[in-house]
Amino acid sequence: MIRTVEFAPHASAPVLAAYSYCEAVTGQQARNFAYGIRLLPTPKRRAMSALYAFSRRVDDIGDGALADDVKIARLEETRALLTRVRGGAVEEDDTDPVAVALAHAAEVFPIPLDGLDELIDGVLMDVRGETYETWDDLKAYCRCVAGAIGRLSLGVFGTEPGARGAERAPEYADTLGLALQLTNILRDVREDAEGGRTYLPADDLAKFGCSAGFAGPTVPEGADFAGLVHFEVRRARALFAEGYRLLPMLDRRSGACVAAMAGIYRRLLDRIEREPEAVLRGRVSLPGREKAYVAVRGLSGLDTRHVTRRTVRRRA
C-alpha cells in the first residue's frame, strides 16, 4: 500500500513561494492537467504542480529550438539537479523555485523520483530521433514519458487503507499513462510529422499503407488512415479500461483528479475516432465547458462507481 498524506507539515515562506511559482506554471501551460489537480486538497495540488513544473522543464528542452548537443547537455544538467533533490541537497533559499518545491514535495510524499529520470531518458530518445518498429518498442518510450508520470502521481495520491489489490496500483497508474500518451500521439500526428518525428509503430503504418507519413492536411494517396486511427483507438481504449482499475483504490478527491484527467483524454479519443482526418487539419481539443463537465463527473465519483461495479461483476 502507498500511504496517503492529506495534511502537509508547516511550509516556510520560501517553500510557499516556490509552490506558487509551480502552480502558476501549471495554470498557464497544463491545459488538461490543470482541470484534474484543481480537485485535490492543497498539499497534493502543490506537490502535483511541482512535478508538473519539473516535467515541463524537461519537455521544453526536448521540444525547443536548441541544437541537439545543447539539448542533451541541458537534459543532463537537469538530471544533475534531480540528483541534488533526491540527495536532500536543495536548500529552501535555493534560487530555483522548481527544485525547492520538488524537494519539499518529496519530503512530504513518497514520490518515486526515479520516474523523473525515466522522463529525461524518454526525452533524450526524442532528441536522438528514435523511431519505433513495433508497439512493444513504442510502449517502452511511453512508459518513460507518461507511465512514469502516472507512477510519480500515485506517490502523491497514495492508496486507500485496505484497498483490494493495491499492490497493483503502480501498474495501473503506469498503464493509464500509456493510454493518455497514445491519445496524445494520435492527436499530434501531423504536428509531430512536421517536426520530423514519427511515433506510431512502423509495423502499424505499413499495415495501413501510411508509411509515407502525415506532413500534409490530407490523407496520403492509397493510405487507410481511418483504419490506422481506429486500430490505435482500440488499443488506447484497452489501456484506459485496464488503467481505470486504479480508481477504486484512491481516496475520493484523488480519484476525482484521475477520473477528470483521464476522462478528458477519453473524450478526446472519441472525437478522433469519429473524425480521424481532423487530426491532419489541426489540433483536436475539447471546449472548456466540456472539460469542466468531465471534472464535475469525476468529483461525483461516477467513473469510480462504474469501475467498481464492473470489477465486482467480474469476480462474481
Side-chain angles (χ1 to χ4, degrees):
M1 181 184 75
I2 298 172
R3 66 185 175 89
T4 298
V5 178
E6 291 295 342
F7 301 100
H10 173 73
S12 67
V15 169
L16 291 176
Y19 276 131
S20 293
Y21 173 84
C22 292
E23 289 189 284
V25 170
T26 304
Q28 291 167 7
Q29 301 185 42
R31 299 176 183 172
N32 298 334
F33 186 82
Y35 276 88
I37 67 170
R38 289 175 187 171
L39 306 176
L40 294 171
T42 299
K44 291 184 178 182
R45 188 186 69 247
R46 288 173 175 164
M48 290 294 289
S49 294
L51 282 173
Y52 177 84
F54 188 93
S55 301
R56 181 75 265 164
R57 178 179 296 179
V58 173
D59 285 341
D60 285 347
I61 293 171
D63 293 337
L66 298 171
D68 288 349
D69 59 337
V70 179
K71 288 183 179 182
I72 291 171
R74 292 280 180 88
L75 288 168
E76 293 304 340
E77 289 170 5
T78 307
R79 196 191 300 275
L81 175 61
L82 178 60
T83 300
R84 289 181 56 220
V85 171
R86 188 185 292 111
V90 175
E91 301 294 335
E92 290 186 356
D93 61 353
D94 193 282
T95 56
D96 188 333
V98 176
V100 172
L102 183 62
H104 186 269
E107 289 178 1
V108 176
F109 298 96
I111 300 172
L113 291 176
D114 288 354
L116 291 171
D117 274 307
E118 292 181 58
L119 173 63
I120 293 171
D121 291 339
V123 173
L124 281 168
M125 293 167 73
D126 282 338
V127 173
R128 291 168 179 149
E130 294 198 24
T131 55
Y132 309 97
E133 291 296 316
T134 68
W135 165 239
D136 283 343
D137 295 335
L138 178 59
K139 188 160 56 174
Y141 166 78
C142 291
R143 288 197 188 285
C144 285
V145 299
I149 301 301
R151 285 177 268 119
L152 287 158
S153 300
L154 183 63
V156 176
F157 298 145
T159 54
E160 283 282 78
R164 187 167 181 174
E167 69 279 358
R168 297 191 66 184
E171 173 190 337
Y172 296 140
D174 184 281
T175 301
L176 201 52
L178 264 64
L180 269 60
Q181 185 64 22
L182 183 52
T183 304
N184 267 338
I185 288 171
L186 289 173
R187 180 195 64 187
D188 297 340
V189 66
R190 182 182 174 191
E191 182 180 324
D192 290 333
E194 290 175 342
R197 294 177 182 171
T198 300
Y199 290 103
L200 291 175
D203 282 357
D204 296 349
L205 296 175
K207 185 186 305 181
F208 293 94
C210 294
S211 298
F214 316 106
T218 58
V219 176
E221 186 176 353
D224 181 11
F225 182 70
L228 172 67
V229 169
H230 291 153
F231 178 80
E232 303 297 349
V233 165
R234 287 192 295 273
R235 176 175 279 156
R237 288 198 191 286
L239 293 169
F240 273 117
E242 181 72 7
Y244 261 52
R245 298 176 72 175
L246 175 66
L247 291 180
M249 302 175 185
L250 306 178
D251 67 79
R252 178 173 175 266
R253 290 175 72 178
S254 296
C257 173
V258 174
M261 288 190 287
I264 288 170
Y265 277 86
R266 284 184 70 184
R267 283 174 172 259
L268 187 61
L269 197 65
D270 290 341
R271 289 197 169 202
I272 293 170
E273 182 180 38
R274 286 196 300 268
E275 192 178 359
E277 293 180 24
V279 299
L280 298 179
R281 298 192 295 269
R283 174 169 287 207
V284 177
S285 62
L286 300 183
R289 63 182 181 279
E290 190 168 352
K291 292 179 182 179
Y293 167 78
V294 174
V296 170
R297 179 185 172 90
L299 193 59
S300 73
L302 286 173
D303 293 317
T304 300
R305 290 196 294 274
H306 175 73
V307 173
T308 302
R309 287 196 299 270
R310 186 175 60 197
T311 303
V312 169
R313 285 198 299 270
R314 286 177 177 173
R315 290 174 182 156

